[in-house]
C-alpha cells in the first residue's frame, strides 16, 4: 500500500489520479458491455433501443477519460488493461436466470461501481473532479428500472422476494469487485476519505457502498 | 407475394420502401448487438474498444433510419419489431467455438446482411437511396479482419481450413437469414432487380450474395 505514516489527510499522488481515471474509463467500457448485453436480451425493441443508447453514452464517457489520460502522458489502453477481467469475474459469479435478475444485476452492480468511482472522485484536485464528476454513471438506467421493474415487483410478491434475495447475492459480489479493484491498484486507497489506516478507509468505503445500495433497494420496496 | 402480373420492371411501393427502411434499422441494431458482443469477448482492450466504437457507429445509423420512418408517418419500433428475433436465430445456429470463429461469423454474416441491404437499396427512389446508401455497413470491420485474422490464417493452415469450413456453414445460415427476411416481408421482393417471377429474383439475389461472399473469403485466402 502506498500511504504515508502520518495522520494528516493525504493529498492524492499523480499515480493515484491516473489509476483513478483508468478505473473510470474501465467502468465506462464495462458499463457499455453490460448495457449492450442487456439490450440484446430485451423482451422488446423499445427497451432494446433504450439500453443500446445508454451503452453508447457510456462509450462517450470513455472518450473523455481517454483524452484526460493522454493529456497526462499515460497510455489509455495500458491504464485500462490493468483492470481487465475484473468485471468478467463479477458477471460470471452473478449469472442471472431471467430478464428481471439481469436488470437487477445491472442496477445493483453498476450503481455500486458508480458509487465507488464517485467516492474516489471526491478527493481529486478540483479541475480533475470537475472534468470527471459529471461523466460518471449509467444515465437513464434508474428511470428504466423504476418503469420496468418496480411495477412487476409491486404486483408479484414472489418475484419481489426472489429479487431481494438475488440483490443480496449481487451486492456481495459487487463489493468483492470493489475490493479486487482496490487490491489491484492500492494507490486508489489514497483517494479514500478517512483515517490513516488503509484497511479502515476501505471498511468505511464498503459501509457507504452498502448504505447506498440499501437505499436503492428500498426505493424498489425490497429489503437489502 | 405482392408483385404485379406484367413483365415491366416494378417501381417500388411505399410499403416496400418502409419495409426496407425498417430492415435497414433492424440490421443496424443487430450489428450493434453483434459488434458489442464481439467487443466484450475481445482478447485485449484495444480490440474491445475498436469493436465497441463500431457498435456505437451502427446505432448512429439506426437513428437516421428511425428519422426517415417517422418522416413517412411510420412507427419505427413497430417497423423494426417485424424483424425481431430473425437475427437471433442466425446467431444461435452459428455459435462460434472461439474468438476466430466469432470474428469470422461477424465478417460473413454482417457483410452478407449489408450486401442484402445494398442490393435492395438500389431500386429505391433517388432521394431515399441517397439518404440511406452511405449509412449501410459495418465500417472498419473489414480492416480489423485484415489486421487480426489474415496473419493468423496465413500462418496456420489448420486454422485456415477450419475457418474455411466454418465460413461455409455461416454463409449457409446467413443465406437462410436472407430468405427468412424476404419471407417475413414479401414486399421487399419488389425491390429486387430481375425478372417478373419473384422466386427467380430471389434466386438471382442469392447468387449475388454468394458471389460477394466468395470474393471476401478469397481475400483471406480461404475457399468458400
Amino acid at each position: 500500500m502506498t500511504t504515508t505514516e502520518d495522520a494528516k489527510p493525504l493529498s492524492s499522488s499523480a499515480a493515484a489520479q491516473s489509476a483513478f481515471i483508468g478505473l473510470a474509463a474501465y467502468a465506462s467500457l464495462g458499463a457499455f458491455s453490460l448495457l449492450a448485453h442487456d439490450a440484446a436480451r430485451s423482451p422488446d425493441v423499445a427497451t432494446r433501443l433504450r439500453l443500446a443508447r445508454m451503452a453508447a453514452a457510456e462509450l462517450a464517457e470513455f472518450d473523455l477519460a481517454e483524452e484526460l489520460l493522454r493529456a497526462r502522458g499515460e497510455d489509455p489502453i495500458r491504464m485500462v488493461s490493468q483492470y481487465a477481467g475484473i468485471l468478467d469475474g463479477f458477471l460470471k459469479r452473478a449469472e442471472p436466470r431471467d430478464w428481471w435478475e439481469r436488470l437487477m444485476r445491472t442496477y445493483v452492480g453498476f450503481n455500486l461501481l458508480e458509487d465507488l468511482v464517485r467516492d474516489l472522485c471526491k478527493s481529486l484536485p478540483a479541475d480533475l473532479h470537475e472534468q470527471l464528476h459529471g461523466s460518471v454513471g449509467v444515465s437513464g438506467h434508474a428511470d428504466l428500472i423504476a418503469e420496468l421493474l418496480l411495477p412487476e415487483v409491486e404486483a408479484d410478491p414472489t418475484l419481489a422476494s426472489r429479487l431481494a434475495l438475488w440483490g443480496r447475492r449481487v451486492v456481495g459480489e459487487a463489493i468483492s469487485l470493489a475490493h479486487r479493484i482496490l487490491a489491484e491498484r492500492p494507490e486508489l486507497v489514497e483517494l479514500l476519505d478517512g483515517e490513516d489506516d488503509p484497511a479502515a478507509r476501505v471498511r468505511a468505503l464498503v459501509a457507504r457502498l452498502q448504505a447506498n445500495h440499501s437505499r436503492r433497494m428500498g426505493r424498489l420496496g425490497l429489503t437489502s
Side-chain angles (χ1 to χ4, degrees), chain A residues 2-224:
Chain A
T2 52
T3 53
T4 62
E5 296 301 311
D6 62 327
K8 286 182 301 179
L10 298 163
S11 69
S12 60
S13 67
Q17 292 168 17
S18 290
F20 171 77
I21 306 169
L23 173 63
Y26 178 69
S28 297
L29 195 53
F32 167 83
S33 292
L34 196 75
L35 292 165
H37 203 65
D38 290 359
R41 302 297 185 92
S42 295
D44 59 80
V45 171
T47 305
R48 182 174 178 177
L49 192 56
R50 281 175 74 178
L51 284 163
R53 285 178 168 151
M54 283 180 217
E58 288 294 323
L59 208 60
E61 293 185 7
F62 181 95
D63 295 345
L64 169 65
E66 185 184 33
E67 202 180 295
L68 289 173
L69 285 169
R70 278 195 211 289
R72 299 169 69 87
E74 301 281 4
D75 172 1
I77 299 297
R78 198 185 66 82
M79 294 307 290
V80 171
S81 298
Q82 293 173 326
Y83 300 100
I86 293 185
L87 259 169
D88 295 336
F90 164 72
L91 297 176
K92 212 167 285 175
R93 274 185 293 276
E95 186 72 53
R97 281 169 301 175
D98 64 9
W99 169 243
W100 302 121
E101 288 191 2
R102 177 175 295 279
L103 270 186
M104 180 62 93
R105 178 178 71 173
T106 301
Y107 184 60
V108 171
F110 275 83
N111 274 304
L112 191 135
L113 194 57
E114 179 186 353
D115 283 344
L116 170 66
V117 171
R118 281 190 198 283
D119 204 298
L120 293 167
C121 197
K122 274 190 267 173
S123 50
L124 292 179
D127 58 333
L128 199 54
H129 181 271
E130 185 68 27
Q131 286 169 301
L132 276 166
H133 184 71
S135 85
V136 176
V138 181
S139 38
H141 194 264
D143 296 340
L144 184 126
I145 290 289
E147 266 177 64
L148 297 185
L149 197 54
L150 188 55
E152 296 290 326
V153 158
E154 284 176 346
D156 182 347
T158 310
L159 179 66
S161 67
R162 174 159 70 86
L163 289 181
L165 199 65
W166 172 244
R168 286 195 280 279
R169 174 150 161 226
V170 173
V171 78
E173 294 297 346
I175 284 171
S176 302
L177 169 72
H179 278 296
R180 279 196 298 278
I181 287 168
L182 297 174
E184 195 61 47
R185 300 307 308 263
E187 61 269 49
L188 290 172
V189 177
E190 281 180 41
L191 299 174
L192 292 174
D193 270 346
E195 301 163 52
D196 186 42
D197 173 31
R201 289 174 175 218
V202 172
R203 278 196 301 277
L205 166 74
V206 167
R208 291 193 295 275
L209 296 176
Q210 186 75 60
N212 286 344
H213 166 73
S214 296
R215 261 194 299 276
R216 272 192 295 274
M217 293 297 273
R219 248 175 263 146
L220 292 176
L222 302 176
T223 49
S224 62

